[in-house]
Amino acid sequence: RLTAGLLTPAAQAQEPAEAEEEPLRLSDREIEQVFLDHVPGVRDFLFRGKPGLHSLRFMVSVYKDGLQGFRGTALQNHLLWCMRYVVHQGHNRRPGVAPHLVEVAEAFRECQAVQARAIERAALQLRNVTPDFPGLLTRFVGEYKTLALKMLAAERLAQGLATDYDPMPTHYENRLTADLGLALGANADDVRLAALDDHARKRFAPLAGEAAAAAAARCRELFDSRAMLQAFVAEVNSFSAESPQESLPCVFLRWVAEHLQHRHIVLDEETACRTSVDMPLALCIFEHVFLGKLGGAADEAIRGVPARELFLPAHDEWAPATTPTVCTKDAGSEAMSDVRSTSAESFDDHP
């Protein structure tokens, strides 16, 4: 039931706003130095392992002129300004920028479709543009839709339904994302990038009609909701004082403080000092956010609390975030404090 509700257009992360203009500021040498300073071994990165095609040279080119494959499209300037913003943050030695530069640099070992995704994702994360919890959770689910589409692509290639000679079938994955993404509710920015993949358009015939419906149905079968819930549990339970303010654990705790009637339920029972969400509670959260109601038995309980009493009433949870919100500087600590402020009586009632 949850999977059926998730893989629909109603549960789709919307496109981010277009990036602000970022002027060209750095010389070729300065651009290279940003990556040399932050990405170990980047000097030896090669485009698809081809001798002489050094990735660093392409990074400089994309910083200056943008991704050639997206020239003349609506995303040309957006991706150019995203790339420049990421590089400028590295040049300014912003704390925490290294992992983003590593992700971008690694993407330059692959095709421009992969590069575009990495560049946009890094820029958005560095700008601290974070949706509210339902929006962030929708994007989290979108990553598992992407994984299901990758599995579908691999299966169809193995069955001989398509042929792709690339070591990584990124372009065939994009063909499927462009054709099936809307029906499955794949992240809108992924669908947008996939639809602009010229190689995918030229190499593979589009799926339509009954063939598209059958492929979408198979993708829903491949979607691993249990793995998704397990990953969510691991992610939110990783919360610490060092958690980035825009991270899922931080945003989750702020949402808990505002939306759960029994806020202490997300904390460990012995000390109430760390996040301790389990699979049954995670399932309730997903059902509440995406379906608007719980699917368990009427008498289901989570740690002694009736499941149907977990959430505050009169909250319209499902609304994809169109206006990003930014966590405050000490959002993580504040969120944990808010959650722990549950009355002593509540803790006594539910040890």
Side-chain angles (χ1 to χ4, degrees):
R1 180 171 173 270
L2 177 62
T3 297
L6 290 179
L7 276 81
T8 70
Q12 181 183 51
Q14 301 304 299
E15 296 177 7
E18 184 173 347
E20 298 178 4
E21 183 172 359
E22 192 77 19
L24 187 150
R25 286 175 21 205
L26 305 179
S27 67
D28 290 11
R29 179 56 189 160
E30 288 173 320
I31 301 164
E32 289 183 354
Q33 196 61 48
V34 167
F35 287 98
L36 290 170
D37 289 344
H38 293 90
V39 183
V42 70
R43 194 185 297 276
D44 299 321
F45 284 13
L46 299 175
F47 175 71
R48 295 198 162 173
K50 298 179 179 179
L53 293 182
H54 292 277
S55 300
L56 195 54
R57 175 163 58 91
F58 295 115
M59 296 177 213
V60 172
S61 174
V62 171
Y63 170 91
K64 294 166 61 178
D65 302 315
L67 288 163
Q68 184 176 0
F70 290 88
R71 287 181 185 173
T73 73
L75 292 181
Q76 176 180 347
N77 287 334
H78 173 73
L79 294 171
L80 170 63
W81 296 336
C82 282
M83 179 65 172
R84 289 179 180 173
Y85 180 80
V86 173
V87 175
H88 290 163
Q89 298 310 298
H91 182 70
N92 295 337
R93 296 189 175 277
R94 172 176 166 174
V97 73
H100 302 288
L101 287 167
V102 169
E103 181 182 9
V104 169
E106 289 286 352
F108 273 81
R109 295 176 185 253
E110 298 299 333
C111 67
Q112 292 184 57
V114 175
Q115 295 165 23
R117 286 200 187 97
I119 290 168
E120 183 178 51
R121 181 166 51 246
L124 291 175
Q125 291 175 347
L126 286 169
R127 288 187 186 277
N128 291 336
V129 178
T130 306
D132 59 11
F133 177 66
L136 200 58
L137 193 62
T138 305
R139 187 157 291 278
F140 179 84
V141 173
E143 296 299 322
Y144 282 83
K145 295 180 184 181
T146 298
L147 180 59
L149 282 164
K150 288 178 178 291
M151 294 170 64
L152 179 66
E155 181 178 273
R156 290 177 64 86
L157 289 170
Q159 292 172 345
L161 297 176
T163 303
D164 191 340
Y165 297 105
D166 289 339
M168 288 183 60
T170 302
H171 299 297
Y172 185 57
E173 292 167 2
N174 280 347
R175 175 74 274 171
L176 294 179
T177 301
D179 295 339
L180 310 177
L182 179 60
L184 298 171
N187 292 343
D189 50 348
D190 290 340
V191 177
R192 177 180 62 174
L193 287 171
L196 294 173
D197 186 340
D198 194 49
H199 291 293
R201 231 178 10 250
K202 292 178 179 178
R203 294 183 191 178
F204 308 105
L207 287 175
E210 292 183 2
R218 177 55 180 156
C219 193
R220 292 185 180 96
E221 293 174 353
L222 293 171
F223 183 83
D224 194 339
S225 58
R226 182 172 182 80
M228 176 193 68
L229 290 172
Q230 289 174 331
F232 171 79
V233 167
E235 183 72 13
V236 296
N237 286 346
S238 70
F239 175 82
S240 71
E242 289 73 39
S243 294
Q245 56 188 323
E246 72 280 5
S247 67
L248 180 60
C250 176
V251 178
F252 169 67
L253 284 178
R254 291 183 64 82
W255 177 84
V256 165
E258 297 172 358
H259 293 81
L260 261 67
Q261 190 159 249
H262 298 272
R263 296 175 291 178
H264 66 282
I265 202 87
V266 305
L267 305 178
D268 74 288
E269 297 180 278
E270 292 185 2
T271 68
C273 289
R274 62 181 179 82
T275 310
S276 181
V277 174
D278 57 18
M279 288 284 283
L281 178 56
L283 178 59
C284 287
I285 290 169
F286 272 71
E287 289 179 336
H288 180 69
V289 170
F290 291 105
L291 306 182
K293 58 183 178 180
L294 305 185
D299 59 350
E300 181 183 4
I302 306 294
R303 294 187 185 177
V305 177
R308 299 185 186 282
E309 296 179 9
L310 287 173
F311 305 99
L312 292 170
H315 277 293
D316 183 12
E317 286 302 335
W318 170 237
T322 55
T323 303
T325 55
V326 182
C327 293
T328 59
K329 181 178 180 182
D330 298 318
S333 299
E334 291 174 3
M336 179 61 85
S337 178
D338 288 344
V339 172
R340 293 180 64 194
S341 68
T342 307
S343 67
E345 289 82 2
S346 293
F347 284 101
D348 291 339
D349 290 344
H350 306 288

